[in-house]
Amino acid sequence: VQLQAFGGGLVQAGGSLRLSCAASGGTFGGDYTFGVNGWGWFRQTPGKEREFVAAIHWSTSTTFYADAVKGRFAISRGNAEIPVTLTMNSLKPEDTAVYFCAVRTGGRGSFSSSQTYDYWGQGTEVTVSS
């Protein structure tokens, strides 16, 4: 199983970006294939711990967001090749970070906890200029 986040870049404050997570080595498109429980996006800046951004419960499409991004970011399901995307609007300089996508197969624990995710992708860098 390999994941790769892409779509990052440099954007001015107030702008938008759409991040995607490509998946290979498994089948993620169906509700129960591979036992996917949910997908999440996290971000990290130098010297800080990885922080939760958004997540989606696969079977119900219930979404979860960090307070810092609520109302501005939207996580959504895609297809088998790109199972999840993150649309980021009204970006702020404090959104600057490396963004990672992750998938969890277990149903326990909070969607906002990075420890509940089993596979992680390579990150994509987002820089928001003021």
Side-chain angles (χ1 to χ4, degrees):
V1 176
Q2 293 185 331
L3 308 178
Q4 175 69 58
F6 63 95
L10 174 64
V11 64
Q12 289 187 334
S16 299
L17 281 176
R18 186 180 187 186
L19 305 185
S20 298
C21 183
S24 61
T27 305
F28 302 96
D31 287 341
Y32 302 103
T33 304
F34 193 69
V36 170
N37 176 259
W39 289 86
W41 286 94
F42 290 76
R43 65 187 182 187
Q44 190 170 22
T45 54
K48 293 187 177 181
E49 292 188 357
R50 195 166 294 186
E51 67 171 356
F52 170 71
V53 175
I56 185 166
H57 183 219
W58 200 240
S59 61
T60 65
S61 294
T62 302
T63 56
F64 308 88
Y65 296 96
D67 288 341
V69 307
K70 201 170 294 184
R72 300 187 298 121
F73 289 14
I75 186 171
S76 58
R77 293 175 53 153
N79 54 37
E81 290 72 35
I82 302 177
V84 66
T85 62
L86 182 70
T87 302
M88 307 186 295
N89 298 315
S90 302
L91 282 162
K92 305 175 181 180
E94 51 263 43
D95 294 320
T96 295
V98 176
Y99 284 71
F100 300 86
C101 58
V103 64
R104 55 184 253 169
T105 57
R108 295 181 179 180
S110 171
F111 278 85
S112 64
S113 172
S114 62
Q115 295 181 355
T116 67
Y117 291 80
D118 303 288
Y119 300 96
W120 292 81
Q122 297 294 318
T124 185
E125 188 168 2
V126 172
T127 302
V128 184
S129 63
S130 57

